[in-house]
Amino acid sequence: ATTAVLVRAPPRVRRLARQLGVDLTKVRGTGPRGAITEEDVRRAAAMLAAAPPPAALPP
Amino acid sequence: MPVMNMVEALNTALREEMKRDKRVVVLGEDVGRRGGVFLVTEGLIDEFGEERVIDTPLTEMGIVAFAIGMAMYGLRPVAEIQFIDFIYEAFDQIVNNAAWYRFRSGGMYSVPLVIRGPCCGGIRGGMHHSQSNESYFIHTPGLYVVMPSTPYDAKGLLKSSIRSDDAVIFLEPKSIYRTIREDVPEEDYTVPLGQARVVQEGSDVTLVTWGAMVHLAKEAAELLRDKRGWSVEIIDLRTLQPWDKDIVVKSLEKTGRLVIVHEARRILGPGAEIAAYISENHIELLRGPVKRVASYDTPYPLAHEKLYLPNIAKIYRAVSDVMQW
Amino acid sequence: MPVMNMVEALNTALREEMKRDKRVVVLGEDVGRRGGVFLVTEGLIDEFGEERVIDTPLTEMGIVAFAIGMAMYGLRPVAEIQFIDFIYEAFDQIVNNAAWYRFRSGGMYSVPLVIRGPCCGGIRGGMHHSQSNESYFIHTPGLYVVMPSTPYDAKGLLKSSIRSDDAVIFLEPKSIYRTIREDVPEEDYTVPLGQARVVQEGSDVTLVTWGAMVHLAKEAAELLRDKRGWSVEIIDLRTLQPWDKDIVVKSLEKTGRLVIVHEARRILGPGAEIAAYISENHIELLRGPVKRVASYDTPYPLAHEKLYLPNIAKIYRAVSDVMQW
Amino acid sequence: PFKPVEGSVVEEYKALLEEAMGFKRAVDEEGRVVDEGLLPKISEGDIIEIYTYMVRARVIDSWLLKLQRMGKVALHAPNKGQEAVAVGAAKPLRRDDWVFPSYRELGAYLVRGMSEEEILDRALANADDPLKGSDFAIFGNRRYNLVPAPVPVGNQIPISVGAAYAMKYLGRDTITLTFFGDGATSRGDFHAGLNFAGVFKVPAVLVIQNNQWAISVPRARQTAAPTLAVKGLAYGVPGIRIDGNDVMVVYKVVSDAAEKARRGGGPTLVEAVTYRLGPHTTADDPSRYRKSEEEKVMERYEPLRRMRKFMDSMGIMTEKEALALEEEWNSRVEEIVRRVLAKPPLPENVFFQNVYSEKPWFILEEERDLEETLRTMEELGLSYRE
Amino acid sequence: PFKPVEGSVVEEYKALLEEAMGFKRAVDEEGRVVDEGLLPKISEGDIIEIYTYMVRARVIDSWLLKLQRMGKVALHAPNKGQEAVAVGAAKPLRRDDWVFPSYRELGAYLVRGMSEEEILDRALANADDPLKGSDFAIFGNRRYNLVPAPVPVGNQIPISVGAAYAMKYLGRDTITLTFFGDGATSRGDFHAGLNFAGVFKVPAVLVIQNNQWAISVPRARQTAAPTLAVKGLAYGVPGIRIDGNDVMVVYKVVSDAAEKARRGGGPTLVEAVTYRLGPHTTADDPSRYRKSEEEKVMERYEPLRRMRKFMDSMGIMTEKEALALEEEWNSRVEEIVRRVLAKPPLPENVFFQNVYSEKPWFILEEERDLEETLRTMEELGLSYRE
Ligand SMILES: Cc1ncc(C[n+]2csc(CCOP(=O)(O)OP(=O)(O)O)c2C)c(N)n1
Ligand SMILES: Cc1ncc(C[n+]2csc(CCOP(=O)(O)OP(=O)(O)O)c2C)c(N)n1
Ligand SMILES: [Mg+2]
Ligand SMILES: [Mg+2]
Ligand SMILES: [Mg+2]
C-alpha cells in the first residue's frame, strides 16, 4: 500500500502538494538533505499550470 | 513604582504573603539569620520570627517531607532548596507525596506546598550549583513547574504559587537574580500559572523559551534581524507544566517554524515534549524541523559552561536551519 | 535448548556471571533466602553464600550508595530494587554518583553497577508496584537504560549490562516475567546494549516499542492486518538509552509513519524524545504526525489499569490516525 | 564545645539508655500482671472495649485474607499477632489528634471510628472507596483524622512530624501518632523524621511495630544496634522499649507519651516488640525464610490469648465469653461482606480526578481520549474487564 | 525478643555512651600534655612532619583564597582551624587504604602525597586538572587513593562504606577513612552509611569534622542529641568524641580505630570537635549569622598555635622556628602559583569525555555540534572567554 520511491518532504509540504496536485516523486528538493520545501512545491505547481495539459495516457 | 531585581521581588512576594496569611511559613537551610545564600529570605526572620522562618537540619528529604506534613495539616509552606541541584534526596517525597497525595487520598488531602530554589547555570557554579532539572518534575503529574524570567513575573508567579492548592516547583534562574531590574508594583498582583507571554512579536520563526534564556533569545533575535533580516517571535513560557500550548500553536500558525531554547539538557529536556506535542497534534503547521537549542547531554561542566549552555551562536544556527525551509 | 521464562533467564544470567567473575555480587532487600519477591535471585545464596548475595537493610539509598562504593573499588554489583517504584530514595546517589562519578573524576573512577528491578504495570500492583519511570533515567547522562521483552533478550542483555563499564538501569517488565517462555541457550551469549530489534517487518507504519508492549503491539498489528489490511513494522528498542535511532530511521524511510507505544506516561515519556528527534532531524521522512500511545498523565490507578495503560484499542486508533496521512 | 558533656546530661542519657534497652510490660504472656504500675487506670468497660477492637481487627483481617484468595482484593498485609500495638496506641488519643498508620493497623482504624464496611469499600476499591481505587493495602480517611499511608516504607514518618509542627505552630493542643515497622527504621525518612522531631520538639508519638521481620529480613539484619528504641538517643528523643503484645502496657506508655507531647514535652519513640504471625502479604511465602517452629513459639505471646487470660483472671470476662465475641463479630462481618460485594465499581474516568485541584488542559484532552478509546473498544468488541 | 537486652550489653553500651559524651585530648590549647596515654607513640621526626603538613595546609589554603579573590579560582572552602583533623586522621593510614574526603581536607591531600602544584591545577581547572574542570571545591586523585568527594553533602559516606565492604569481600587488609561535617550527619546518606557500616562490620573509620557550623546553622540546630558521636550507638558503631584541634589525639584515636578495623573489629565513628575560623566558602559572609567575638575566642583553640607550644615545651622545635616554617612554605608556594598560572586551559571538547566509557552516538553528534558552533562563533565574531 506504499510507494517504493523515498520521498523527502515534511507533512505540511506533502499536504500542500496534494492540494496543488503536485506529484512529489517528480519534484527535485532544494531543502536540507535534498528535501522538498514548500517553495519547491509551489514552483512545481506553477510550472504545471504553465505547461500544456498532458496527453491522455494510452490504456 | 519601586525598581527591583528578582531577589528583591521574590523577597517582597514572600513578605507580603506572610503578612497576608499566617499559614505561610518559610523553611530550609540557612533561610533564617543568613537570609538564604542568595538573600531571597533576607530579613524575614526579624519580621516573622523563628517559628515561621525555620532553619532546618541539613537534609532536603527532611525539608520537603516536613513541609508536606505542614501543608497537609493546612499550612502553606515555602520550602527553599539551597540549590535546586540538591533536590534529589527529596525526590521520593516529591513524587510520591507532594505530587500524589491528593490522588492517593481520593482528594481528601492536598499538599499546597511551594518548593523554590535557585536553578540553572551561567555563574561558574559547577556541576552541583548549575543544573536545570525541570524535566524530572514536568514528567511527574500533580506538580506545577514554574520559572520566571523577570522581577515582575517573579513576584506575581510566586504569589500564585503560594496561593495554589497544588504543589509547585518554583525555579529561580540565579544568573538573572540581580542582573535585571525593572518596575515592580508595590500593590498585590498575581501572574496566573499556566499562561505564557509573548515577549516580542515576529513573523518568520517562533522561539519558545523561559528563564534566563529569554534574555539570550532577545539578543539573538536582534542579531538575526540585523544580520539576516528575519523576524523572530519570542514566547516566554513562564509555567513549564502545564505549558501554554495555545499561545505556541497560535504563533506557529503565523510562522510555521519552531525553535525551542532551554538550559536543560536536550534528551528529554522540556523541549522534547513541546516538539513531540506539536508533531503529534499540529505537524501540518510546520514548514520544516523543530529545532532544539539545549545544553549538551553531559553533566554540567564548570570549565566550559559558556560552550555547554545555549548561546547566541547556537540560536543563530538553529534559526538559520529552520529558515531554510 | 532449555525453555525458560524471563525470571529463569535472568536467574541463569546472574548465576553464570557470578560463576564467571568473582567480582559480581548481588544485593538488595530479600534477595537472599527469599530469593527476591519474584524469585529472580532464587538459589543464589546457596550457591554463592551470604557475602555475595547480600540481604541489606531497608533503604534504596543505602543499597545504591553501597553498591556504588563496591563498584568504584572494583566489584561488579547487581543491586536489586524490589520494585522500581521505590528507587526514588536513591535518586540523589544515582544521578550524582552512579551516573556522574566518571565525569566528576575526570575518568579516574567508574561505576560498573547494574541496578535492576521489576517495572511496569498490568498485574494489579497499584500506584507503587506498577510504575514505568524510565524517563527519569533517560534524561540523566551517564546511564544506560535497558528493558528486555523476551527471556532470550533478558539473559543476553543482563550479561551485557553486568559486563558494561557504565552504570545500567535494567528494567524488567514484571507482567511478562512468567507469561512468555522460549528457548534460551545454555551457553554464554550477550545481546549488545544500544541495538534494537525488528520484531516483524511491515511497510505501512513503524511501531516503536519495548518491554511488555512488544507483545501488545504484535496483537494489535495482527488485528490491524486482519481488519484493515495494514502492514505494521514493529521495532523493540531493548535499550532505551542510548536508543537505536538508525533502525528507526531506516524503517521510516520505508513507511513514513511513526507510532510509539510505551507504558510510561506521555508527557516527557521516552516517546517524546523519539518524536522530537525525528521531527528535528528527519521530519522530511514523515507523511503525517508522530503518534504516541502511552499511559495517561496521572498517577497509576489500581482500579483502572487496563484503561490507563496502552491497549489494543489505543494502538488501533493511533495507527488509523497516521494512516489517514 | 571543647569539653565533655555535662555530667547531669550523661546521667540522664544513661537512664534513657536503660529504658531503650529494657522491656516494659504490665501483663505477661500468661495474662498475669507483672507490673501494677504499668497498668493503665481505665475501667473494666474500657478493657472490654479494647479487647473488642482487637477481636474486630482480627476478624476483618481474616476476611480480607479470604477476599484476597477469592480474587476480590488485590493484596492484603495480614495484621495477625500485632493487634495490641494498633489498638493500644490508638485508643488513648483524641479525635482531633492525627494518626499516620502504616499497613498493619486495622485495629487503629476501628478505634478511630472506621467501620468494617468502610474498610471493605477501600479494600475492594468499589464505588464507595474514599481513596478512589488509587492503590492497594492502604487505608485512611480524613473524617477520622487517619492519614492514608504512603506505600514506600517510612515516608509517613517525617510527614507526620511536619504535621505535628503545624499543630504546635497553630497553637493547637493536638498531637500526632505514627506507626511504622522495624524495616522502616533503616530508611532516610526515619532519620529525617526523628531528627526533626527532636530539633523542633514536636508533639508526636512514634511507634515502631517491631514485628521482627521486614519481609524475609530479620530484625538483626536491619541494624547492629541492640534495640530500635536506642535509636531515639541519636536524636535527643527518648526511646522506650515495650511488650507490644501487651495491650495494657501499649496503652499506658503511649497514653503517657501522648500527654507529655500535648503538654509541650516533646516527642517519644516507642519500640513495641511484637511478632507477625502470618505472611508478609498475601503474595509472600514465609517458609522460604523462616521456620514454622518460630511461628509456633510466638503464638504463645500473641495478644488476644493474653487478653483473654488477663480478663479471665481479673474477673472481667471468661475466656469462653471472650472467644464467643470473636464468633459473633465473624457473623456480623460476613453479613457486611455480602452487602459490600454487591456495590458497583468506580466510574471509568475516576483517575483523572484529583491529579490537580483543577484539571489542566492535558488531563482534559486525555479524558476525551479515554472516551474515544472506550468507543473504539466497543467497535472492536474488546472489553477491559476480566 | 520478648525480654530486656542482656545486662552485659547494657553495661557495654553505658561505656560507649561515656566515650560518646566525653572529650578525649592529649594536648590542651596551651600545648600542655593532659593525657600521656593519648599521645601516639611516634618519633620527633614524625611530629615535625605532622606539623609541617599542617603548615602546608594552611599556606595553600591562604593561596586558594587569594586566587579566588583574583578571579582565578571559582570558589574555595577555607580550611583554617581544621588542619589537625585532616592531617591527624590521614597520617596513620597506609597508601593502599582509601580516603574519602569532603571539602576541608587540604591537609589530608598533602599527607596522601598530593603536591601543592596538583592542588592548584585542580583548583584552577587548567589543562593538568585531573578532574577535567568538572566541578569546583572538590579534589581527589586515584594515584593517591583519594576519592573526589561529591558536592552533595554526605553522599560519600555510604559510598565509602560500600568500598570498605568490597575490601573485606576481596580479603584485603585495607580500610577506608571518610570525612564529613556536622551538617552531613543530618542527611539520609549518613543514616544509610552508618547503618550499613554497623550491619556489615566493615573496615571503616568515619570522621566527623564537627566545626560547629553548617554554613549559618549552628550545631545545636542540626540535632537535639547532646553529641554527634552518640549517633554511632544507633547503629551499633562505637562513637568517640575527641578534641579535633589536638592533632596528637586525632592521630592516636584514628590510628587505633584504623588498626581495629584492619583486624576485623569493625567501624568507628569519630567526632572531632573543631571550629571553622573562616567563612563557609569564599561566597559566604559569616557576620550575618555569628559574632566575630566567637571567632576570636576560638582562635585560642586553633591547632597550629597549640602544636607550636607543644613542640616548644617538648623541646622539639621552638615557636620561632615553627613560625619560620610557615614563611618558608609561603615563598615556595608563591613560586608554584606563578608557574601554574601560566598553564594552558583545558581543551574545549573535554566535557564530552568521560560521560560514558565509550561515546554513544548522541555524544558524537553533540561533539560535532560544538565544532559547528565554534565555527559560527568565529563567523559572528563572538567569543566564549571573558
Ligand atoms: C521504600 C520501599 N522499599 C521497599 C518496599 C517493599 N516492601 C514493602 S513492606 C517491606 C518490609 C517492611 O518491613 P517493616 O518496616 O518491618 O514492616 P512490616 O512489613 O514488618 O510491618 C518491603 C521491603 C516498600 N514498600 N517501600
Ligand atoms: C545535599 C546538599 N545540600 C546543601 C548543600 C549546600 N551546602 C554546602 S556545604 C553546606 C553545609 C555543610 O555543613 P557541614 O556538613 O557541617 O560541613 P562544613 O561546611 O561545616 O565543613 C551546605 C548546606 C550541599 N552541598 N549539599
Ligand atoms: Mg501553593
Ligand atoms: Mg517488620
Ligand atoms: Mg560544619
Side-chain angles (χ1 to χ4, degrees), chain C residues 6 29 48 71 90 105 129 142 162 185 217 260 263 275 286 314:
Chain C
M6 194 182 284
E29 296 155 11
F48 303 104
S105 68
H129 298 76
I162 291 171
I260 304 154
E263 287 192 57
L286 294 176
K314 290 188 205 178

Side-chain angles (χ1 to χ4, degrees), chain C residues 15-313:
Chain C
R15 194 180 302 272
E16 288 179 10
E17 290 304 293
M18 292 180 82
K19 267 197 198 131
R20 197 183 57 79
D21 185 349
K22 196 196 163 203
R23 298 171 307 164
V24 179
V25 302
V26 162
L27 70 158
E29 296 155 11
D30 306 290
V31 297
R33 291 276 152 254
R34 182 69 178 78
V37 300
F38 288 100
L39 305 182
V40 172
T41 58
E42 192 178 20
L44 298 180
I45 196 167
D46 300 319
E47 194 165 342
F48 303 104
E50 285 203 348
E51 290 194 354
R52 285 186 79 182
V53 183
I54 309 163
D55 274 329
T56 65
L58 205 172
T59 160
E60 287 70 20
M61 175 192 276
I63 292 167
V64 169
F66 196 64
I68 290 171
M70 290 176 172
M72 289 175 72
Y73 194 73
L75 302 189
R76 299 253 150 185
V78 181
E80 174 171 305
I81 301 296
Q82 195 160 88
F83 288 87
I84 207 68
D85 318 50
F86 299 129
I87 202 163
Y88 306 120
E89 194 200 20
F91 205 61
D92 185 19
Q93 288 285 351
I94 292 174
V95 173
N96 285 308
N97 301 318
W100 295 349
Y101 234 123
R102 181 192 298 279
F103 184 87
R104 293 205 297 101
S105 68
M108 286 192 295
Y109 292 91
S110 63
V111 185
L113 160 69
V114 177
I115 297 176
R116 52 157 291 276
C119 75
C120 312
I123 59 147
R124 291 182 83 196
M127 275 185 74
H128 295 93
H129 298 76
S130 306
Q131 295 174 32
S132 297
N133 50 19
E134 55 263 32
S135 279
Y136 297 125
F137 307 109
I138 294 173
H139 183 56
T140 308
L143 300 175
Y144 275 78
V145 184
V146 175
M147 195 190 298
S149 71
T150 67
Y152 179 92
D153 281 357
K155 179 176 167 187
L157 287 167
L158 184 52
K159 285 188 166 228
S160 291
S161 300
I162 291 171
R163 297 178 195 180
S164 162
D165 285 334
D166 297 306
V168 178
I169 309 287
F170 192 92
L171 304 164
E172 304 163 3
K174 68 178 92 66
S175 68
I176 53 169
Y177 257 160
R178 294 176 182 279
T179 55
I180 295 153
R181 302 175 57 80
E182 69 179 356
D183 286 346
V184 175
E186 268 179 295
E187 60 268 27
D188 186 39
Y189 69 91
T190 59
V191 173
L193 302 187
Q195 285 184 19
R197 176 175 72 97
V198 176
V199 177
Q200 67 177 49
E201 300 205 357
S203 52
D204 289 321
V205 53
T206 302
L207 215 148
V208 174
T209 188
W210 53 86
M213 293 298 99
V214 170
H215 307 284
L216 190 75
K218 277 158 78 177
E219 276 188 66
E222 231 174 279
L223 189 74
L224 284 158
R225 188 196 59 208
D226 295 351
K227 288 235 177 201
R228 313 291 295 261
W230 292 330
S231 160
V232 179
E233 176 141 316
I234 299 177
I235 293 170
D236 174 1
L237 278 191
R238 303 199 288 197
T239 297
L240 312 185
Q241 175 72 341
W243 61 288
D244 189 346
K245 70 169 172 31
D246 293 336
I247 212 171
V248 174
V249 170
K250 207 173 135 218
S251 179
L252 284 178
E253 284 175 351
K254 185 165 58 171
T255 64
R257 298 187 187 91
L258 177 57
V259 173
I260 304 154
V261 180
H262 60 57
E263 287 192 57
R265 292 179 296 265
R266 189 177 56 90
I267 293 180
L268 285 184
E273 180 58 31
I274 297 169
Y277 185 85
I278 295 298
S279 54
E280 183 155 19
N281 297 287
H282 302 283
I283 198 162
E284 70 279 5
L285 297 180
L286 294 176
R287 291 166 176 275
V290 178
K291 285 282 164 189
R292 294 178 285 171
V293 178
S295 289
Y296 293 119
D297 289 291
T298 76
Y300 193 97
L302 170 68
H304 291 304
E305 63 180 355
K306 294 237 161 89
L307 296 175
Y308 173 79
L309 291 170
N311 59 30
I312 290 181

Side-chain angles (χ1 to χ4, degrees), chain E residues 25-312:
Chain E
R25 45 159 48 169
V27 178
D28 75 5
E29 57 272 20
E30 296 306 325
R32 292 173 298 229
V33 175
V34 292
D35 190 336
E36 285 271 0
L38 288 174
L39 276 180
K41 292 192 180 21
I42 53 177
S43 70
E44 285 197 5
D46 289 335
I47 291 175
I48 294 173
E49 200 189 337
I50 285 172
Y51 173 70
T52 308
Y53 281 125
M54 290 166 69
V55 165
R56 286 175 61 193
R58 183 154 301 179
V59 169
I60 185 70
D61 187 56
S62 72
W63 273 101
L64 289 168
L65 274 172
K66 255 178 261 177
L67 288 162
Q68 196 281 334
R69 267 186 245 116
M70 288 162 64
K72 301 288 181 188
V73 164
L75 182 111
H76 178 59
N79 284 223
K80 193 177 170 197
Q82 303 183 219
E83 296 89 348
V85 185
V87 171
K91 194 69 186 53
L93 290 223
R94 288 193 340 214
R95 289 299 299 267
D96 54 353
D97 294 331
W98 277 32
V99 176
F100 290 79
S102 176
Y103 44 81
R104 288 193 215 281
E105 282 84 20
L106 285 167
Y109 315 148
L110 294 167
V111 169
R112 299 298 289 175
M114 205 185 261
S115 67
E116 278 81 357
E117 174 158 352
E118 287 173 303
I119 289 171
L120 289 163
D121 287 340
R122 172 72 269 274
L124 294 159
N126 66 26
D128 287 346
D129 174 11
L131 307 190
K132 313 281 186 232
S134 55
D135 208 345
F136 60 39
I138 291 306
F139 299 81
N141 197 322
R142 186 162 195 135
R143 195 185 309 163
Y144 310 113
N145 288 331
L146 201 54
V147 183
V151 171
V153 161
N155 272 195
Q156 71 275 25
I157 306 170
I159 291 176
S160 70
V161 170
Y165 184 92
M167 292 171 175
K168 185 174 156 176
Y169 171 76
L170 293 171
R172 310 269 160 82
D173 70 339
T174 52
I175 69 158
T176 59
L177 168 66
T178 311
F179 292 96
F180 50 94
D182 42 315
T185 63
S186 295
R187 289 205 90 220
D189 301 271
F190 172 83
H191 190 56
L194 269 286
N195 197 34
F196 276 59
V199 167
F200 297 107
K201 229 182 161 192
V202 301
V205 182
L206 300 130
V207 176
I208 310 173
Q209 287 237 33
N210 176 6
N211 65 2
Q212 313 309 322
W213 293 93
I215 311 186
S216 75
V217 180
R219 152 61 191 86
R221 209 358 116 82
Q222 212 56 248
T223 179
T227 71
L228 301 177
V230 81
K231 289 179 181 284
L233 277 61
Y235 310 105
V237 174
I240 309 179
R241 189 161 173 274
I242 67 172
D243 186 337
N245 284 4
D246 171 10
V247 73
M248 290 294 117
V249 82
V250 176
Y251 184 105
K252 167 74 175 152
V253 166
V254 170
S255 171
D256 290 354
E259 288 324 305
K260 180 183 168 194
R262 219 182 283 291
R263 287 192 319 268
T268 304
L269 177 67
V270 177
E271 177 186 352
V273 176
T274 180
Y275 189 83
R276 154 164 72 75
L277 285 170
H280 170 69
T281 65
T282 45
D284 184 35
D285 169 11
S287 76
R288 287 192 172 270
Y289 53 82
R290 73 184 188 193
K291 299 218 171 65
S292 62
E293 286 88 84
E294 177 179 313
E295 287 164 47
K296 232 152 266 148
V297 172
M298 290 299 157
E299 291 273 5
R300 238 190 83 212
Y301 293 86
E302 75 92 0
L304 270 71
R305 173 178 178 275
R306 184 184 314 204
M307 264 306 261
R308 286 191 297 268
K309 288 188 182 294
F310 168 68
M311 292 192 302
D312 200 331

Side-chain angles (χ1 to χ4, degrees), chain C residues 28-35 37 39 42 50 53-61 82 85-86 88-90 124-129 223 227 266-267 295-304 306-308 311-314 316-317, chain D residues 71-74 122 125 132-136 151-153 183-184 186-189 214-217 221-222 283-285 288-289 346-348 350-352 355 361-363 365-366 369-370 372-374 376-377 379-380 382 384-386:
Chain C
E29 296 155 11
D30 306 290
V31 297
R33 291 276 152 254
R34 182 69 178 78
V37 300
L39 305 182
E42 192 178 20
E50 285 203 348
V53 183
I54 309 163
D55 274 329
T56 65
L58 205 172
T59 160
E60 287 70 20
M61 175 192 276
Q82 195 160 88
D85 318 50
F86 299 129
Y88 306 120
E89 194 200 20
R124 291 182 83 196
M127 275 185 74
H128 295 93
H129 298 76
L223 189 74
K227 288 235 177 201
R266 189 177 56 90
I267 293 180
S295 289
Y296 293 119
D297 289 291
T298 76
Y300 193 97
L302 170 68
H304 291 304
K306 294 237 161 89
L307 296 175
Y308 173 79
N311 59 30
I312 290 181
K314 290 188 205 178
Y316 188 91
R317 273 181 57 216
Chain D
K72 301 289 182 187
V73 165
R122 172 74 270 275
K132 312 282 187 232
S134 56
D135 208 345
F136 61 39
V151 171
V153 161
S186 295
R187 289 205 89 220
D189 301 271
I215 310 187
S216 75
V217 179
R221 203 10 110 78
Q222 213 56 249
D284 183 36
D285 170 9
R288 287 191 172 270
Y289 53 82
L346 285 159
E348 279 148 349
V350 67
F351 60 86
F352 293 111
V355 183
W361 62 264
F362 61 86
I363 296 280
E365 275 190 1
E366 294 183 356
D369 183 273
L370 175 61
E372 195 66 44
T373 299
L374 288 168
T376 307
M377 290 177 89
E379 265 169 52
L380 296 173
L382 299 169
Y384 66 93
R385 299 196 191 277
E386 270 85 315

